[in-house]
Amino acid sequence: MATAPIRFGIWALVHGPRAAHQDPEEPYDASWERNRDLILAAEELGYDSTLIAQHTINPHQEDLDQLEAWSAAAALAALTKRIEIIAAIKPYLYHPVVLAKLALGIENISRGRFAINLVNAWNRPELDKAGIGFPEHDARYAYGREWISVVSRLMEGERLTYTGEHFNVRDYALRPTSLYRKRPLIYVGGESEPARSLVASHGDVWFINGQPLEDVAGLIANVATRSREGAAPLRFGLSAFVIARETREQAEAAHERLLNLAAKDAPMKAVEKQNTDPKVVMMQTMQKTPRVGSNGGTAAGLVGSYDEVAERIEAFHAAGIELFMLQFQPFEAEMRRFAREVMPRVRGRQSAGSADGRTRSLG
Ligand SMILES: Cc1cc2nc3c(=O)[nH]c(=O)nc-3n(C[C@H](O)[C@H](O)[C@H](O)COP(=O)(O)O)c2cc1C
């Protein structure tokens, strides 16, 4: 199966810096204005997608600002023209009827560029302190599975009657549906067995945390072969933190700088660890390699010279990754550098590769 052409996206800065909080080059700023300017610039630079993480309270330190994902997604939908807008969602926070209605609204404001990223929560206080409670890992996934089946059918315009363990929806139909396609796309982020089963049955794209190529290839092989009941083949995205420089030595020095700065966040990380459900597989994966960045960060190995980073991106693409959801620090400057130095190298390698392929097949 051929992988779709490579797309690059950026994580919105909904809770400030991704690698280290005490960085003089990246003052804390999770404001709407900063995110708006960042994403408009990304669109201009040729990025194809943005992921807006959802947290009602800052998961690193509760008294820090946290951008609200869904209102920001709606505003970005109106301001941008081309970029895909993905907003994360934790099922317990929204009734599925309300969420499906919101998603269809943003789908139509964006003219068919909206997607949801279904995530099943790891930060206990966010739900617990709201009085919602924090059911155990697999029970959260069982709830999420029921929730997405309702959301998905309503987004498709079905007049739905559904009775399950958690929801009881009668004769409900949302109008208008998407004016541009069947429905907004459904991404799923999560690595555990129930996450894999959920994405195989209900997802369009699986978001994998940044990790070495062999591990990513193993995860893709594990999920790609599962039955999908007539749906289109599953697609794959990868989260990764990029440090690209003229030379590998310069990139490694920049990584070292961020690792040293990140060490100063130890007290914050200790609180975060206490708040995290120990069963969340994502967090266990992220303990394996020293790294900076969230959701795997530099563990994906996109640290090196411009050519090395381009080459590794191409290798991930050959393994099945279509969308690279990227983090940088300092974000704006490094996002620009990546667009200037790495994107053209990736495109160049790809067109050289396909020209080779053509020559070979003609020969
Ligand atoms: C690309 C990606 C984005 C994520 N975004 C969020 C988010 O916005 N909010 C959140 O609470 N968790 C987010 N998560 C974390 C999931 O909630 C986490 O993976 C979940 O707890 C599932 O755990 P599991 O790995 O055990 O399946 C994200 C995960 C991935 C891979």
Side-chain angles (χ1 to χ4, degrees):
M1 180 195 65
T3 308
I6 291 182
R7 296 189 295 140
F8 293 113
I10 59 158
W11 283 76
L13 290 173
V14 294
H15 44 38
R18 282 282 166 182
H21 275 65
Q22 298 185 45
D23 181 357
E25 293 184 27
E26 184 80 293
Y28 193 92
D29 184 354
S31 64
W32 155 245
E33 288 76 9
R34 196 249 180 120
N35 278 281
R36 175 197 61 200
D37 294 350
L38 179 75
I39 290 155
L40 285 171
E43 184 173 61
E44 194 72 34
L45 289 166
Y47 288 87
D48 307 292
S49 185
T50 186
L51 174 60
I52 312 172
Q54 192 222 356
H55 302 275
T56 46
I57 46 179
N58 187 304
H60 308 299
Q61 192 174 311
E62 273 188 30
D63 57 355
L64 288 174
D65 288 352
Q66 173 72 44
L67 184 71
E68 201 289 302
W70 282 68
S71 49
L76 285 166
L79 291 174
T80 53
K81 294 195 171 57
R82 187 184 56 78
I83 202 165
E84 176 187 39
I85 296 163
I86 312 171
I89 182 70
K90 271 167 289 210
Y92 282 99
L93 290 170
Y94 296 82
H95 189 278
V97 164
V98 177
L99 196 280
K101 185 70 180 163
L102 277 169
L104 287 172
I106 305 176
E107 167 78 353
N108 287 330
I109 295 170
S110 68
R111 304 172 76 86
R113 292 180 287 124
F114 186 61
I116 68 173
N117 183 30
L118 174 59
V119 292
N120 265 291
W122 52 272
N123 181 25
R124 181 180 291 277
E126 182 183 32
L127 297 179
D128 215 13
K129 292 196 336 185
I132 295 167
F134 197 79
E136 115 14 84
H137 184 273
D138 292 7
R140 292 201 302 282
Y141 271 102
Y143 184 94
R145 174 177 278 276
E146 219 184 274
W147 183 95
I148 192 64
S149 73
V150 173
V151 168
S152 174
R153 290 161 72 181
L154 286 173
M155 287 197 305
E156 285 175 16
E158 183 176 335
R159 176 167 291 280
L160 182 66
T161 294
Y162 175 92
T163 308
E165 196 186 332
H166 302 287
F167 306 110
N168 185 15
V169 178
R170 268 177 300 110
D171 193 28
Y172 222 100
L174 299 176
R175 297 291 181 271
T177 55
S178 174
L179 304 174
Y180 303 91
R181 53 188 174 170
K182 188 173 163 201
R183 56 160 172 73
L185 285 188
I186 299 172
Y187 289 72
V188 177
E191 227 174 288
S192 55
E193 177 47 41
R196 296 177 198 192
S197 145
L198 182 69
V199 73
S201 59
H202 289 92
D204 299 310
V205 188
W206 189 28
F207 258 136
I208 300 175
N209 293 300
Q211 48 202 299
L213 178 61
E214 318 77 75
D215 297 351
V216 169
L219 290 171
I220 291 176
N222 178 285
V223 173
T225 47
R226 299 184 185 209
S227 99
R228 305 239 315 135
E229 291 167 25
L234 187 61
R235 293 150 59 190
F236 300 94
L238 183 75
S239 170
F241 191 108
V242 175
I243 306 178
R245 293 289 186 279
E246 198 85 15
T247 66
R248 182 192 302 180
E249 292 67 34
Q250 288 167 350
E252 281 169 359
H255 195 195
E256 202 56 36
R257 182 189 87 87
L258 288 173
L259 282 164
N260 289 333
L261 283 170
K264 297 188 185 177
D265 293 336
M268 183 189 270
K269 292 279 171 215
V271 175
E272 191 180 305
K273 192 166 177 208
Q274 260 171 20
N275 290 339
T276 300
D277 173 1
K279 288 196 181 156
V280 165
V281 174
M282 175 183 84
M283 300 303 182
Q284 296 160 15
T285 307
M286 289 194 324
Q287 304 308 322
K288 286 192 209 158
T289 327
R291 43 134 208 129
V292 294
S294 74
N295 298 86
T298 48
L302 300 189
V303 177
S305 70
Y306 300 139
D307 286 320
E308 284 168 339
V309 171
E311 196 181 310
R312 285 175 203 157
I313 287 171
E314 208 189 9
F316 276 115
H317 183 240
I321 297 293
E322 165 214 330
L323 174 61
F324 292 81
M325 194 52 71
L326 304 177
Q327 304 178 358
F328 307 96
Q329 186 162 325
F331 210 101
E332 281 83 347
E334 293 303 318
M335 164 181 96
R336 285 180 189 282
R337 184 204 294 271
F338 182 88
R340 191 178 62 237
E341 303 289 350
V342 182
M343 277 190 199
R345 283 173 162 86
V346 172
R347 309 274 183 235
R349 295 179 67 90
Q350 297 252 294
S351 45
S354 54
D356 267 10
R358 270 199 304 280
T359 319
R360 272 200 302 275
S361 63
L362 286 173

